[in-house]
Amino acid sequence: MAKKDAGRATISEIAQEAGVSVPTVSKVLNGHAHVAAETRARVEEIIARRDYSRRPAKRQKKAGLIDLVFPGLRSEWSLEIIEGVERVAQDAGYGTVVSSLSLDGSRIRPWLANLAERKSDGLLLAVYELDAKQIQRIKSLGIPVVLIDPVGQPGPDLMTVGAANWEGAFSAVEHLLALGHRRIGMIGGRPDLQCSSAREDGHLAALRRAGIEMDPALIVPGDFSVAAGEAGARKLLELEDRPTAIFTGNDEQALGAYRAARNAGLRIPQDLSIIGFDDIPAADWIEPGLTTVRQPVVHMAETAMRALLRHLDGDEELPQRIELGTELIVRGSTAAPAQV
């Protein structure tokens, strides 16, 4: 009969045989001090007997390149992501290949071929959702992946980095409620994005906490573009009982809402308060300055790049999700409604 312990083992199998958790085995493999001597000895014995291949303590570069992929590069958000990724990548000695790509069935194959040919060390995907087949194809290349602000619900094997969108939206609407607004409109974002649903949920939660019944007419769809913000604000302002304030879901839509308000002859904030999300540079120089929720976009990108470097170093204790806090930035676009 063949021996049970013949052949190479996985880290999960070693943990199961040793009667410890996977993180404990990882600590032994990475030389962490906080493991009991008896446990360490038991794990080390199994590692040796099962012929487990330890990952190298130091990353071995293939080409010194990191791929950073977006579905489009037209937004300020994308530029800030590039800035944060390149800042950390350059300090670590990596170059960055930036692509704008729709990962549909017709384009994934040639893109993967180019990725393999470049021998990229790692991959950062911003605002993407990967299906099981695409994940398997990327894994077959041996390239670690980190998702930034992903679409949908990523699988358990993928690490994601994002912002606390629910809390940020909740704080934005609470600010408007504290000023005395009760008719608060919202222009949503792309319905397939996690951040869109989280921001809408935060908006509604703040209304419920204040005892305000949600009026479905006050929530209109958007896609995070200036044009969608203008169209959505125009629709809200045409209501017989129009809102006194609008939460736009992101700053680019807020810029569109400014245009719609001015075309309707309304003053900001005297006749209409507007609040955004992201704190892009334009939020500070537009008149009046835009009250918004600061999303730490550059920090988010830096965090994703550092996580990818830890992947390349063989760190097996990374969390599945890293979520960074937001901050409400109050400027001149919000004030108490005129009738209060």
Side-chain angles (χ1 to χ4, degrees), residues 121-329:
D121 294 84
L123 175 61
L124 294 169
L125 291 172
V127 198
Y128 273 110
E129 180 176 31
L130 298 175
D131 61 33
K133 193 172 182 181
Q134 290 168 344
I135 293 170
Q136 193 54 45
R137 286 176 178 174
I138 292 171
K139 282 186 174 181
S140 70
L141 300 177
I143 298 175
V145 181
V146 174
L147 302 182
I148 303 171
D149 245 3
V151 176
Q153 296 294 332
D157 295 336
L158 293 175
M159 181 183 177
T160 69
V161 177
N165 291 289
W166 188 96
E167 290 83 354
F170 187 90
S171 69
V173 178
E174 271 208 322
H175 170 68
L176 294 173
L177 291 166
L179 289 172
H181 293 277
R182 292 298 178 267
R183 292 282 293 173
I184 301 173
M186 179 178 182
I187 305 171
R190 279 176 46 189
D192 58 331
L193 296 184
Q194 277 189 348
C195 62
S196 299
S197 57
R199 291 173 196 179
E200 184 172 332
D201 288 347
H203 171 99
L204 296 176
L207 294 180
R208 284 195 299 271
R209 181 172 177 178
I212 297 174
E213 185 176 349
M214 188 272 290
D215 180 351
L218 289 177
I219 298 182
V220 298
D223 62 10
F224 286 156
S225 69
V226 174
E230 183 175 5
R234 190 185 310 120
K235 184 174 181 180
L236 289 169
L237 295 177
E238 288 172 352
L239 293 173
E240 185 175 346
D241 185 11
R242 70 167 180 83
T244 60
I246 301 176
F247 170 44
T248 63
N250 85 328
D251 288 348
E252 292 198 26
Q253 290 186 157
L255 301 182
Y258 268 54
R259 186 183 300 165
R262 284 168 177 160
N263 287 342
L266 300 177
R267 299 166 299 164
I268 304 169
Q270 294 92 333
D271 303 316
L272 178 70
S273 287
I274 296 176
I275 188 165
F277 201 112
D278 284 339
D279 197 27
I280 62 175
D284 194 29
W285 54 254
I286 195 170
E287 287 292 335
L290 176 64
T291 296
T292 185
V293 178
R294 178 174 291 163
Q295 181 177 203
V297 180
V298 174
H299 185 205
M300 201 159 64
E302 292 173 340
T303 300
M305 183 62 214
R306 290 192 184 101
L308 190 61
L309 293 174
R310 287 174 62 187
H311 264 301
L312 293 171
D313 278 337
D315 191 335
E316 298 179 8
E317 295 184 49
L318 286 165
Q320 184 183 355
R321 168 79 174 173
I322 295 177
E323 196 164 89
L324 304 178
T326 57
E327 178 186 2
L328 180 67
I329 306 298

Side-chain angles (χ1 to χ4, degrees), residues 107-117 134 137-138 141:
R107 302 190 66 184
I108 183 74
R109 190 178 297 275
W111 172 71
L112 283 171
N114 289 334
L115 190 68
E117 188 175 343
Q134 290 168 344
R137 286 176 178 174
I138 292 171
L141 300 177

